[in-house]
Amino acid sequence: MKCGNCNQDIDRPLELYDGRWCCPHCKKDVFPDTDTELEINALNRELFVRSEEYYFKWLTSSNEDKRTRFKYLDKAVNLCYEAAFMFHPSALMRMGYYYDRGYVDFNTGSAERWRVAYFYYKAVLFNVHRGVHTPEGDDRYVDELTDIKLQCAGYLIDMLKNVPREIAVKRQFDGYESLDELRAALAEKITDLGGDYDKFDLLYGERAEDEDAASVAFATLRSCTDEERAPVFGIFKLSKEECVRLFSEEDNGFSVLESIGRDLRLKMAKAYDDKEIDGKFYELKNSNAVAQYVSDCPDSGVYMCFVNARGGHKYLKKRTIAGIAKCLEDNGNADIKRLIKAGRYNSCVFYDDDFYKYSEKGRTSKKETDKFVSDVCEEEKN
């Protein structure tokens, strides 16, 4: 993959919390848009075929142990990513499907996964090119690409039947004044492609039920030991019942409570409402401190944030993560409070890539951290 801005080769782009891709060299957005020329070549075709083979193994491995089964799924997703980075149309569609069905980034809220899936599907469905670029330089696979586009449209129709609350309550989405305007654009595109659709399916959608924050938080904290790509930072708003359940749950020997330590730090504050804390954040440095806090959890619930240096971190060293934490916590946890006020909790978890995008010469100072927080908060308003 070559960056269209700095013209440098990209082995793997930065993958940001909202699903966008950025060049690791110039930090510019490289996610495919409707003008991107889709491509099929020998390498991305092989990657996608192998990905589908592993996905089939996962689907048909119900008799195997859980660890083996999810190795198949991880391999399928990683190979599909590689093919998608080369703009293989079926791989882009499949990545949308993986996000849509919760097969990837399961420690991210449903609203963020819904949004990412939408942009993958959009990149293919609304692509202005009739065919696919090949090494020979000719646009080919016109009929096949039309079929893939219509398949993306079908997935989008299903998505619009079950819209997460965080998206449904907003008046605008992706430049559309309403989701009904998006539905109308989708219907028009299906017609242009020669497809058919059920108007009832497009006109009437339902709002998805609220997600269980404790389950998402448990999956996120469990992934902090992931050797390939561990999260760095996240915020959750938990009811009293969710808080108690999170720290009492165990799965295959994993317990959040027993994982708290030097490299996985937690802070908690009493919740005032959906935008503010009540009082101040308390840093809970070990499992005993967490257990004591949870035993007297306030009825209004809590805001919990974590900073993690465990597991695999491609772009950040431990001391860099510690520096980021210090910046976020500066001035009475001002940046963390800004993210809470903007509603950036329960839905997105931040990784190395997110902070590296804002770094200068591999370092993330207070200035860069503030810019990162400002951009994340500003995006929530749009």
Side-chain angles (χ1 to χ4, degrees), residues 52-122:
E52 291 290 274
E53 289 172 349
Y54 275 103
Y55 181 55
F56 181 75
K57 280 186 176 182
W58 182 77
L59 290 175
T60 57
S61 62
S62 57
N63 293 328
E64 298 187 49
D65 63 274
K66 185 177 180 180
R67 187 181 184 88
T68 301
R69 294 193 68 224
F70 277 90
K71 279 185 178 179
Y72 294 150
L73 182 59
D74 286 344
K75 191 70 174 178
V77 171
N78 287 330
L79 287 167
C80 194
Y81 261 130
E82 296 297 328
F85 292 151
M86 300 178 193
F87 304 136
H88 189 293
S90 293
L92 290 167
M93 178 183 69
R94 180 63 82 189
M95 286 309 306
Y97 181 84
Y98 285 150
Y99 275 98
D100 180 10
R101 304 304 164 95
Y103 291 150
V104 62
D105 253 7
F106 50 83
N107 54 1
T108 299
S110 59
E112 286 302 321
R113 289 199 306 271
W114 193 98
R115 195 193 312 268
V116 174
Y118 164 82
F119 283 109
Y120 272 108
Y121 291 146
K122 174 190 174 182

Side-chain angles (χ1 to χ4, degrees), residues 35-209:
D35 291 326
T36 299
E37 195 164 44
L38 305 177
E39 183 170 350
I40 295 178
N41 55 48
L43 178 56
N44 67 15
R45 182 190 293 112
E46 179 186 355
L47 288 167
F48 180 67
V49 169
R50 288 175 58 204
S51 170
E52 291 290 274
E53 289 172 349
Y54 275 103
Y55 181 55
F56 181 75
K57 280 186 176 182
W58 182 77
L59 290 175
T60 57
S61 62
S62 57
N63 293 328
E64 298 187 49
D65 63 274
K66 185 177 180 180
R67 187 181 184 88
T68 301
R69 294 193 68 224
F70 277 90
K71 279 185 178 179
Y72 294 150
L73 182 59
D74 286 344
K75 191 70 174 178
V77 171
N78 287 330
L79 287 167
C80 194
Y81 261 130
E82 296 297 328
F85 292 151
M86 300 178 193
F87 304 136
H88 189 293
S90 293
L92 290 167
M93 178 183 69
R94 180 63 82 189
M95 286 309 306
Y97 181 84
Y98 285 150
Y99 275 98
D100 180 10
R101 304 304 164 95
Y103 291 150
V104 62
D105 253 7
F106 50 83
N107 54 1
T108 299
S110 59
E112 286 302 321
R113 289 199 306 271
W114 193 98
R115 195 193 312 268
V116 174
Y118 164 82
F119 283 109
Y120 272 108
Y121 291 146
K122 174 190 174 182
V124 179
L125 172 60
F126 290 96
N127 193 278
V128 298
H129 299 285
R130 293 182 63 250
V132 176
H133 182 71
T134 65
E136 292 76 24
D138 300 320
D139 278 348
R140 298 180 59 192
Y141 305 110
V142 174
D143 291 341
E144 291 88 342
L145 182 58
T146 297
D147 290 340
I148 295 169
K149 289 180 176 182
L150 287 172
Q151 195 169 351
C152 286
Y155 289 143
L156 272 176
I157 289 174
D158 288 341
M159 284 178 58
L160 285 166
K161 294 178 187 176
N162 202 28
V163 182
R165 180 184 62 83
E166 295 94 323
I167 293 172
V169 296
K170 294 184 178 181
R171 297 188 61 186
Q172 298 180 335
F173 178 74
D174 190 32
Y176 295 101
E177 289 299 318
S178 66
L179 289 177
D180 284 341
E181 188 173 275
L182 170 56
R183 290 184 177 99
L186 178 55
E188 182 179 355
K189 187 64 180 178
I190 292 171
T191 301
D192 289 345
L193 292 169
D196 196 8
Y197 63 92
D198 188 328
K199 289 184 179 180
F200 181 85
D201 281 347
L202 276 172
L203 291 176
Y204 300 97
E206 296 180 1
R207 184 179 300 177
E209 295 181 0

